[in-house]
Amino acid sequence: MTNACHLTVSKALNFAKVAAQRSLSSRSNLPYPSKCTLKQIHMEGNKKCDSRGALIVLEGLDRCGKTSQCSRLISYLEELGHAVESWRFPDRNTGVGQMISSYLANKSHLDDHAIHLLFSANRWEKRSLMESKLRSGTTLIVDRYSFSGVAFSSAKGLDMEWCKAPEAGLLAPDLVVYLDISPEKAAERGGYGGERYEQLEFQKRVAQSYKMLSDATWKIVDATLPIEDVQKQLRQIIMECVLTCQQGKPFVELWQN
C-alpha cells in the first residue's frame, strides 16, 4: 500500500476516534440514550424541504438475502421511472474499503476497535455524496449501514454506546428493513462461511445485538419466505417511503441528542 494510502487511512481513523470521543463526552452526563435519538437537519431559509430521494437500508444476518433483494428493488424502481442507485457497505473500492476487504477475507488482522473505526470511516467517506444524491432526487437502496457496524462490533464484546459514537452525525435512513432469519437457517444457505464473520455462534450474537438496536420504526420481513413473497412485501414498504420523501420529508441524523 502506498504512503498516500497509509496517510488517508490514518486520517480516517483519527477522525473516527475524535468523533467517538466527542460524542461520548457530550453524553457523559445524560441518561442512557434512546435507540432512535435523531436530530433534524435544519434547512436555511426554507421551512419545507424540497422533494428528494429516499435513503432505504436493508439489514440482517449474513446470507439473509439482502443483496439479491436490493438488486430486485433497483430493477422495480427503475421500471417505475424512479432515479435509484444501489449502495453497499463496506464500500470496498475506497482506500479504507480495501483494508476492510482484506480483513474480511482473513488476509490481515486488526484490533477489534480499529476495524470498527475503519468501517465507520468508510461510511463517512460517502456521507457528502450520499446527501448530494438524495437531494438530487435519487433514491438509494443500501445493503448494510451503521446498524451492521454496531451489531457486529458489539457482538465481539465491544461496548454498544462506544460503537455508536463514531456513527453519530451520519444521515439516518428514512427506512430500515430487517430481513429476519434465524442464524441456523442462514447457515444452511449456499456460500456460508466464506468470510470472517460467517460463523454460526458469532451470528447468534449479532442477532441479539440487532434486537437491541431495532425499534418500532423498523420494518421486519420474514426472510425465510419465497423470494417473490419477500419482494412483494418490500415493494409495498419502500414505495410508501419513497413517496413520503418526494413530499419533502426532512433529513435527520443518526444518534444525536
Side-chain angles (χ1 to χ4, degrees), residues 20-254:
Q21 292 167 353
R22 288 180 176 175
S23 181
L24 286 173
S25 176
S26 67
R27 290 182 284 178
S28 60
N29 297 319
L30 296 175
Y32 191 88
S34 64
K35 295 178 181 177
C36 292
T37 304
L38 303 174
K39 178 181 177 182
Q40 181 171 326
I41 299 176
H42 299 287
M43 304 296 175
E44 294 184 5
N46 188 3
K47 295 183 179 180
K48 182 177 180 180
C49 305
D50 294 329
S51 174
R52 65 172 179 85
L55 178 56
I56 298 170
V57 172
L58 270 64
E59 290 282 2
L61 300 180
D62 289 345
R63 304 295 167 177
C64 69
K66 297 183 312 305
T67 302
S68 60
Q69 291 298 342
C70 283
S71 178
R72 287 169 173 259
L73 287 174
I74 292 292
S75 298
Y76 174 66
L77 290 173
E78 287 178 340
E79 290 173 1
L80 294 178
H82 292 278
V84 60
E85 289 186 8
S86 176
W87 283 35
R88 185 176 186 176
F89 286 106
D91 182 341
R92 306 191 190 205
N93 296 317
T94 70
V96 173
Q98 289 173 14
M99 289 192 69
I100 294 172
S101 182
S102 176
Y103 171 84
L104 291 176
N106 289 302
K107 295 179 180 178
S108 64
H109 300 280
L110 291 169
D111 175 81
D112 289 340
H113 295 81
I115 190 62
H116 179 79
L117 293 176
L118 284 178
F119 270 104
S120 183
N122 188 235
R123 286 181 279 274
W124 277 103
E125 286 181 299
K126 308 288 288 187
R127 203 269 191 206
S128 295
L129 179 60
M130 175 180 282
E131 184 171 344
S132 177
K133 290 284 186 179
L134 294 170
R135 288 186 184 279
S136 73
T138 300
T139 286
L140 303 180
I141 305 295
V142 184
D143 183 346
R144 295 202 182 284
Y145 195 51
S146 297
F147 310 101
S148 283
V150 174
F152 278 71
S153 289
S154 60
K156 299 176 184 178
L158 301 187
D159 179 74
M160 184 169 283
E161 293 307 309
W162 184 91
C163 294
K164 284 182 178 180
E167 307 288 316
L170 290 172
L171 289 180
D174 298 298
L175 172 66
V176 178
V177 180
Y178 184 76
L179 297 184
D180 191 23
I181 187 173
S182 71
E184 292 81 6
K185 286 289 186 182
E188 295 173 1
R189 295 187 168 182
Y192 192 87
E195 288 197 332
R196 183 184 292 265
Y197 294 143
E198 292 181 349
Q199 306 297 328
L200 181 57
E201 291 304 314
F202 180 72
Q203 291 289 314
K204 289 180 180 179
R205 296 195 296 274
V206 173
Q208 290 301 314
S209 293
Y210 269 126
K211 287 182 179 179
M212 295 176 65
L213 288 169
S214 66
D215 58 49
T217 68
W218 285 31
K219 302 297 183 182
I220 312 298
V221 175
D222 185 353
T224 64
L225 294 173
I227 292 178
E228 293 75 15
D229 292 344
V230 174
Q231 182 63 195
K232 183 177 180 180
Q233 291 188 46
L234 290 177
R235 288 179 177 183
Q236 293 176 338
I237 294 170
I238 68 164
M239 283 311 302
E240 294 178 7
C241 178
V242 169
L243 293 175
T244 298
C245 291
Q246 288 178 342
Q247 295 169 4
K249 180 183 177 183
F251 288 103
V252 293
E253 294 178 347
L254 270 176

